[in-house]
Amino acid sequence: MTEKYIYSFHKGDGKNKVLLGGKGANLCEMTQIGLNVPPGFVITTKACLDYLESHLLPDGLMDDAKDHIAEVEAISGKKFGNSRNPLLVSVRSGSAISMPGMMDTILNLGLNAQTLTGLIKQTGDARFAYDAYRRFIQLFGKIALGINDEKFDLHFVSIKKQAGIKSDMGLNADHLRQISELFLQVVLEETGKPFPEDVFEQLELSIKAVFNSWMGKRALDYRREFHITPQMANGTAVSVVAMVFGNMGNDCATGVGFTRNPGTGVNEMYGEYLVNAQGEDVVAGIRTPKPVHELLHEMPHLYKQLVDLRNKLEAHYKEVQDYEYTIECGILYCLQTRNAKMNAMAMVRTSVEMVAEGLISKEKALLRINPELLEQLLHPQLDPEHSEHPVAQGLPASPGAAFGKCVFDADTAELMGRAGEPVILLREETKPEDIHGFFAAQGILTSRGGKTSHAAVVARGMGKACIAGAEAIKIDVRARQANVGDLHIREGDIITIDGSTGLIYLGKIPTIEPSFSEELKTLLAWADEFAEMEVHANVDTPERARMAASYGATGIGLCRTERMFNASDRLPLVIDMILADNKEVRQEALEKLFPIQRDDFKQLFEAMSPYPVTVRLLDPPMHEFLPSEHQLEDEIKSLNLYKVMIHGQQVTLDTLGAHIALPEPFTLLNEEVINKVIAKKELMLKKVKELYEVNPMLGHRGVRLGMSYPEIYQMQIRSILEAAALCAKQQIPILPEIMVPQVITVQELIKVKSYVDHIKEEVEHQYGIRLEFKFGTMIETVRACTRASELAGVAEFFSFGTNDLTQATFSFSREDAENKFLPLYNETGLLEDNPFEVLDAKGVGQLMKMTAEAGHKTRPDIKIGICGEQGGHPQSIRFCHHIKLDYVSCSAPRIPIARLAVAHAKLLENDYRIS
Ligand code: ADP
Ligand code: MG
Ligand code: MG
């Protein structure tokens, strides 16, 4: 045998988890640092892979195993298969990545008719021996021989019943002997062969069974669910460990512990134990375990040893550990350790405290936390104590939990929101004109659309809970009702949504507010020390800007001005502007909008002072500000009916000849007024039809609007520059940036720049000051990428709009892709990730790299960032660092994640590979 397949715990490399599995490697490591681990050895994952390929154990493997058993015999003083002093072992699985409960472990192996008698004599405890025996037969029967568990359980239950006993603890030696005999019978019946008496045959069959469990359905499903690739874990190792017994009397126990509290991070003894029990009893919940503090009173001496074990584990691993131990007749053995899984709060707290204790460096403190985990800390969570059952589930589109009264349109949401009611806005899908409803609502629920639907993107931007695509819910806006099967949810009914899980509940479930703890502040301040890229925010309002600043944003990377247009006090003005059929009328509407926009910008600049604020000029196609054709036709129909009614009323009054004075509302809404309204609606309808585009997202939008209607862009530019001037007058340090969307050619930029230059001169003259600002472009068309060197001649900054750029590169739209074929592409591996969530480094990323290089060549000090949704995604952030961007910009709630991720990107830059 050339390949070494087996390592004793004294020899195996504790760092090599890929070869020895996490459990095996740590058993080696613990043995070698002098912790009390029962003797044993590890069979490698390589042996597993070879076995799975050929269906044969590698040549000589069992001989080698025999030699290693001999070693264990020498250390333990017991003998495998010996009837006087039998050695029993456990055969345990374990791969490089822990997959709790997904693969199998066999305990008490080595028992047969002879060793059983030996064990009874040796321990003087027949009950204990038979208990071990029946457990072994069942586990071995199930795992190694493939016998259905129920066959055994049936007998177990019937013996219990016959004896009139409720709990397993009540069974005596004789009951357990009967059970063992029945179990042996089951094996004979089910396999046609007697239970294997030869202990090495038992060992061989068990090793094979553990190897096979790697390809078992449970394990396969688990690996798929958690994206565990063969690079991360390939095959399971087998650890063979001398058994120790926690169930040999009252000086025995078994327990599990964490070196710190995994719920809060507090540095304290944490865990549970059971006296006179075996390891699996704690997990299986057969008896209720006691908190570890009670061990202090029950076995003070061993409690001290346990504290010592915990301290040694942490001092060595320099990480919070999750460990298993067993006390056999007053001696403490450690059976397993691994890095603990903790919630975000505990991860942050332990990071900060372990640095203070000198246990780990700041780098390690940052790197041990997955940035995505921080998401938990920034949104309200459902009270974990709640016990409600969900009525439906949609896509978790924007995290956080919220409850409120159901409303079915944005106007009602706004009305009720103003009245101080918590509301949840339910729509089939949302449109930009629903924006005021978003502001008013606690949460948004749609029955259609994916995780990047309008509702999802806007809700995430605002940090509001959102569930999208809850298809089981049928929304009937006219009836003001939503139906889930036979269940009706009416307007005003309270529901709770959890945007982190997509679950929807009836009634109110209390939520817990997020908190930005001192520890999190400390941790992120360390992240800033290492980071090279800055983190900016995608926000549109002063409140959100202040929030982003408090989360540590050092700028606004994207302010979408259309969000301001959609607010309900401006939308009528915007509509007038769109309806205008000549420049003068349009100018009039724009003049009314101008001071409003200027004040918006001034507040935004102030909120982000002294950091840069990038304002994008108007981007969406105009029709987005108008109601849909369908809605207008409906409204016109109603108006005409109303007109007939008014007319009828007049006729009635005239006929009666009576001079009845109508109440004011009737006279206010007279025929003349209605005619005016109808005329306006008809004009809107006509405009909507005119503006109709086959492909609005590829149509008349972005800078193309600025070319067709210069006065709109000019009004916005003037608002920005006057706001800047007003701030300058008040000595508020600010840094505005004007950004042009959808650019394809440098001529467009030159044109907009000419508006800017002209207005700048006027404003500077008017206010008697000099303005400091930057002019730049979004890069979101493929052509812009190919023309980057020319664009950089005019633009002082580039900002990658990777939402549109991704659509343009893939030539498919996000909505259609996500709703139709992208899931298939991801599941079958045609595409690794959803490129709208994870930046496509291989495709879109290459365009970005080329663009950034060309930009730098033309203008060495050009500032380059990303403002697409992927800008808040850790893996995408690593790519942005790799191509040396200056900043990433993301929605406010993702800022802490991004701050940690930019530090990771720097600290891990040397081993970055485009996967
Ligand atoms: P899992 O990966 O499911 O935790 P383990 O291999 O850790 O499976 O074993 C299952 C249970 O059996 C655990 O409680 C463990 O502590 C216990 N156990 C495993 N090996 C031994 C042993 N040699 N002596 C005593 N208990 C053991
Ligand atoms: Mg375990
Ligand atoms: Mg865009």
Side-chain angles (χ1 to χ4, degrees):
M1 197 164 71
T2 45
E3 170 96 33
K4 190 165 165 51
Y5 284 113
I6 306 186
Y7 294 85
S8 85
F9 290 168
H10 288 279
K11 302 249 173 67
D13 175 5
K15 303 284 178 293
N16 198 343
K17 292 191 178 159
V18 174
L19 187 68
L20 304 180
K23 199 182 283 168
N26 279 332
L27 285 166
C28 293
E29 185 94 353
M30 288 195 293
T31 303
Q32 291 164 34
I33 62 170
L35 298 181
N36 196 25
V37 175
F41 54 89
V42 197
I43 308 173
T44 65
T45 54
K46 179 74 173 57
C48 172
L49 296 178
D50 289 355
Y51 169 76
L52 290 173
E53 204 178 290
S54 63
H55 301 286
L56 291 173
L57 288 178
D59 264 358
L61 186 89
M62 284 314 294
D63 292 334
D64 199 13
K66 269 185 192 156
D67 294 344
H68 279 89
I69 287 278
E71 232 176 79
V72 175
E73 289 174 338
I75 298 170
S76 67
K78 300 179 180 179
K79 282 229 168 293
F80 198 45
N82 181 292
S83 62
R84 284 215 311 280
N85 185 14
L87 166 69
L88 305 187
V89 296
S90 62
V91 176
R92 313 169 69 184
S93 59
S95 71
I97 301 235
S98 132
M99 299 164 50
M102 285 305 119
M103 290 177 303
D104 298 315
T105 287
I106 296 175
L107 299 174
N108 305 332
L109 187 136
L111 277 175
N112 58 23
Q114 267 128 48
T115 54
L116 177 71
T117 354
L119 194 64
I120 298 175
K121 261 202 212 124
Q122 194 187 22
T123 59
D125 188 343
R127 187 192 182 281
F128 158 75
Y130 279 114
D131 192 38
Y133 195 35
R134 63 97 188 170
R135 286 178 198 254
F136 171 53
I137 303 167
Q138 178 163 4
L139 264 178
F140 185 89
K142 173 179 141 196
I143 296 163
L145 305 174
I147 300 170
N148 194 332
D149 239 355
E150 280 170 25
K151 305 270 181 204
F152 296 108
D153 290 340
L154 228 87
H155 289 294
F156 194 74
V157 173
S158 84
I159 294 282
K160 254 171 53 176
K161 218 184 214 163
Q162 271 175 36
I165 289 164
K166 287 228 169 61
S167 123
D168 295 4
M169 297 302 291
L171 294 166
N172 63 28
D174 203 45
H175 296 135
L176 292 163
R177 184 185 51 77
Q178 282 179 52
I179 290 172
S180 308
E181 280 160 10
L182 287 166
F183 280 10
L184 289 172
Q185 199 57 36
V186 169
V187 171
L188 183 62
E189 278 162 19
E190 293 296 315
T191 64
K193 279 186 257 170
F195 189 83
E197 289 284 297
D198 178 346
V199 292
F200 280 103
E201 188 188 343
Q202 292 177 357
L203 183 63
E204 182 171 343
L205 287 171
S206 302
I207 292 169
K208 287 179 177 168
V210 172
F211 282 167
N212 281 325
S213 71
W214 178 253
M215 294 308 279
K217 182 170 158 36
R218 262 190 303 160
L220 284 172
D221 287 347
Y222 187 94
R223 292 203 290 279
R224 188 170 324 112
E225 175 70 23
F226 292 96
H227 305 290
I228 299 174
T229 62
Q231 284 77 45
M232 295 156 78
N234 208 4
T236 178
V238 170
S239 294
V240 178
V241 190
M243 283 301 297
V244 289
F245 296 99
N247 56 340
M248 291 210 311
N250 285 332
D251 58 348
C252 299
T254 187
V256 295
F258 285 83
T259 55
R260 298 179 191 223
N261 185 322
T264 61
V266 173
N267 189 358
E268 63 185 4
M269 285 294 279
Y270 183 94
E272 297 176 324
Y273 73 102
L274 272 176
V275 172
N276 198 6
Q278 275 205 304
E280 75 250 40
D281 298 347
V282 178
V283 193
I286 296 170
R287 284 158 58 193
T288 311
K290 302 177 191 175
V292 68
H293 306 285
E294 288 185 23
L295 192 68
L296 176 60
H297 307 294
E298 236 176 336
M299 302 182 185
H301 183 61
L302 281 151
Y303 183 81
K304 241 189 88 215
Q305 282 186 32
L306 197 63
V307 173
D308 190 50
L309 170 66
R310 158 193 182 256
N311 293 345
K312 281 183 177 152
L313 284 173
E314 270 211 0
H316 180 75
Y317 285 99
K318 304 193 186 311
E319 180 54 271
V320 181
Q321 296 293 299
D322 164 357
Y323 59 101
E324 295 177 0
Y325 59 91
T326 285
I327 297 167
E328 183 187 87
C329 306
I331 300 173
L332 172 68
Y333 295 89
C334 191
L335 291 173
Q336 187 177 334
T337 192
R338 61 184 165 211
N339 292 347
K341 287 207 168 72
M342 287 176 278
N343 67 19
M345 187 167 61
M347 281 305 283
V348 171
R349 176 161 182 168
T350 51
S351 257
V352 172
E353 291 188 354
M354 286 196 292
V355 171
E357 291 158 24
L359 202 57
I360 58 173
S361 63
K362 285 184 189 174
E363 287 92 326
K364 172 87 192 293
L366 295 168
L367 288 173
R368 70 191 275 276
I369 303 178
N370 174 356
E372 291 285 358
L373 195 64
L374 300 184
E375 177 119 56
Q376 279 178 18
L377 296 177
L378 297 161
H379 299 282
Q381 305 288 312
L382 284 188
D383 180 352
E385 306 283 301
H386 87 88
S387 54
E388 296 298 319
H389 289 288
V391 290
Q393 184 167 25
L395 300 169
S398 175
F403 58 83
K405 293 189 172 170
C406 292
V407 296
F408 296 92
D409 66 282
D411 292 343
T412 314
E414 190 171 42
L415 263 175
M416 291 178 52
R418 280 225 185 102
E421 302 260 27
V423 298
I424 306 286
L425 176 61
L426 278 67
R427 303 283 291 164
E428 273 194 332
E429 54 196 351
T430 60
K431 292 187 73 184
E433 74 234 27
D434 293 326
I435 195 85
H436 55 295
F438 279 70
F439 284 121
Q442 264 54 47
I444 290 91
L445 170 60
T446 68
S447 59
R448 278 202 248 142
K451 282 204 225 171
T452 49
S453 59
H454 176 266
V457 174
V458 174
R460 278 201 293 279
M462 293 184 178
K464 300 216 172 185
C466 175
I467 296 175
E471 287 176 3
I473 299 190
K474 304 276 172 270
I475 292 178
D476 186 343
V477 178
R478 274 167 213 252
R480 310 218 148 259
Q481 180 169 306
N483 304 318
V484 195
D486 301 336
L487 195 82
H488 305 302
I489 304 172
R490 302 208 166 74
E491 189 158 276
D493 288 354
I494 292 185
I495 62 167
T496 301
I497 63 172
D498 185 348
S500 313
T501 59
L503 294 173
I504 300 149
Y505 304 84
L506 290 185
K508 168 179 165 175
I509 299 175
T511 55
I512 308 173
E513 281 310 304
S515 65
F516 214 91
S517 67
E518 281 310 310
E519 282 99 3
L520 182 57
K521 280 184 198 153
T522 306
L523 186 90
L524 292 178
W526 295 341
D528 297 344
E529 287 171 22
F530 292 100
E532 267 172 13
M533 289 191 294
E534 289 184 19
V535 176
H536 294 188
N538 295 352
V539 295
D540 322 306
T541 63
E543 297 119 71
R544 298 295 292 175
R546 274 186 286 274
M547 180 191 205
S550 78
Y551 287 172
T554 52
I556 293 178
L558 176 63
C559 164
R560 302 171 168 99
T561 46
E562 61 272 18
R563 298 268 167 94
M564 299 172 169
F565 280 6
N566 266 310
S568 56
D569 55 332
R570 308 144 196 210
L571 196 56
L573 296 173
V574 175
I575 291 176
D576 284 347
M577 167 186 97
I578 297 171
L579 294 181
D581 43 13
N582 62 54
K583 211 169 162 171
E584 285 67 44
V585 181
R586 186 169 311 114
Q587 195 62 44
E588 221 172 275
L590 284 170
E591 260 156 37
K592 288 188 199 143
L593 267 176
F594 163 72
I596 304 179
Q597 279 249 289
R598 184 188 56 198
D599 292 351
D600 285 340
F601 291 137
K602 176 155 186 280
Q603 285 185 43
L604 202 61
F605 295 160
E606 281 177 20
M608 250 308 140
S609 164
Y611 298 116
V613 174
T614 309
V615 180
R616 177 177 73 183
L617 300 178
L618 192 64
D619 182 49
M622 298 274 220
H623 75 87
E624 285 204 2
F625 299 102
L626 297 176
S628 69
E629 188 173 331
H630 180 73
Q631 185 185 340
L632 284 167
E633 277 167 353
D634 246 29
E635 285 173 359
I636 292 170
K637 211 152 92 200
S638 307
L639 286 166
N640 279 319
L641 281 173
Y642 189 57
K643 196 170 127 182
V644 173
M645 198 200 88
I646 293 177
H647 185 73
Q649 200 171 55
Q650 198 53 54
V651 174
T652 312
L653 290 176
D654 290 351
T655 313
L656 291 174
H659 294 280
I660 303 171
L662 288 173
E664 202 176 9
F666 291 91
T667 49
L668 273 178
L669 295 178
N670 57 30
E671 235 179 304
E672 201 184 317
V673 173
I674 295 301
N675 280 333
K676 259 198 199 148
V677 175
I678 291 175
K680 176 148 188 184
K681 291 282 174 183
E682 275 171 348
L683 196 60
M684 282 163 85
L685 183 60
K686 183 166 155 257
K687 198 75 191 179
V688 166
K689 285 182 174 161
E690 257 172 52
L691 290 175
Y692 170 80
E693 289 174 312
V694 176
N695 227 325
M697 283 303 126
L698 303 176
H700 200 179
R701 60 173 292 208
V703 68
R704 303 186 280 271
L705 293 173
M707 299 296 99
S708 318
Y709 311 104
E711 54 284 2
I712 298 178
Y713 268 29
Q714 283 158 358
M715 182 279 286
Q716 291 198 302
I717 292 164
R718 187 178 298 275
S719 308
I720 295 166
L721 294 184
E722 281 206 20
L726 288 170
C727 288
K729 282 267 177 200
Q730 292 178 8
Q731 324 281 324
I732 302 168
I734 61 156
L735 245 170
E737 303 188 338
I738 299 173
M739 178 159 80
V740 189
Q742 294 290 332
V743 166
I744 52 168
T745 161
V746 71
Q747 310 307 332
E748 291 166 331
L749 263 193
I750 291 172
K751 184 89 187 236
V752 181
K753 182 73 173 13
S754 75
Y755 310 158
V756 171
D757 289 342
H758 181 75
I759 295 168
K760 170 180 185 254
E761 218 165 89
E762 283 181 8
V763 175
E764 284 185 341
H765 183 76
Q766 184 187 341
Y767 286 82
I769 48 161
R770 287 199 52 76
L771 289 171
E772 289 288 337
F773 65 96
K774 280 197 162 98
F775 178 76
T777 179
M778 233 166 144
I779 303 281
E780 52 187 339
T781 66
V782 176
R783 195 170 193 283
C785 295
T786 61
R787 303 299 293 157
S789 22
E790 286 71 22
L791 294 176
V794 184
E796 293 162 286
F797 67 89
F798 285 169
S799 175
F800 288 105
T802 44
N803 298 340
D804 277 311
L805 189 57
T806 299
Q807 301 201 100
T809 309
F810 282 82
S811 291
F812 55 54
S813 84
R814 169 155 131 178
E815 278 76 14
D816 290 331
E818 287 186 341
N819 289 335
K820 305 224 160 69
F821 50 82
L822 204 52
L824 172 88
Y825 267 60
N826 291 149
E827 272 159 31
T828 54
L830 289 167
L831 264 182
E832 212 167 295
D833 293 301
N834 176 346
F836 299 109
E837 283 172 5
V838 185
L839 185 73
D840 164 45
K842 289 178 191 158
V844 178
Q846 296 314 300
L847 282 173
M848 291 170 68
K849 186 162 183 266
M850 175 190 100
T851 306
E853 280 164 7
H856 276 124
K857 217 172 203 175
T858 306
R859 187 188 289 269
D861 67 342
I862 191 167
K863 180 173 138 180
I864 307 183
I866 175 174
C867 65
E869 268 208 76
Q870 299 93 333
H873 184 272
Q875 191 181 324
S876 316
I877 287 174
R878 288 193 68 187
F879 177 78
C880 293
H881 179 87
H882 174 69
I883 61 165
K884 301 194 168 57
L885 297 194
D886 298 297
Y887 69 92
V888 298
S889 191
C890 57
S891 65
R894 288 197 77 83
I895 285 177
I897 297 170
R899 281 169 76 194
L900 183 55
V902 295
H904 277 202
K906 172 64 189 170
L907 291 169
L908 300 171
E909 66 185 356
N910 289 333
D911 43 57
Y912 180 75
R913 309 250 171 307
I914 296 175
S915 63

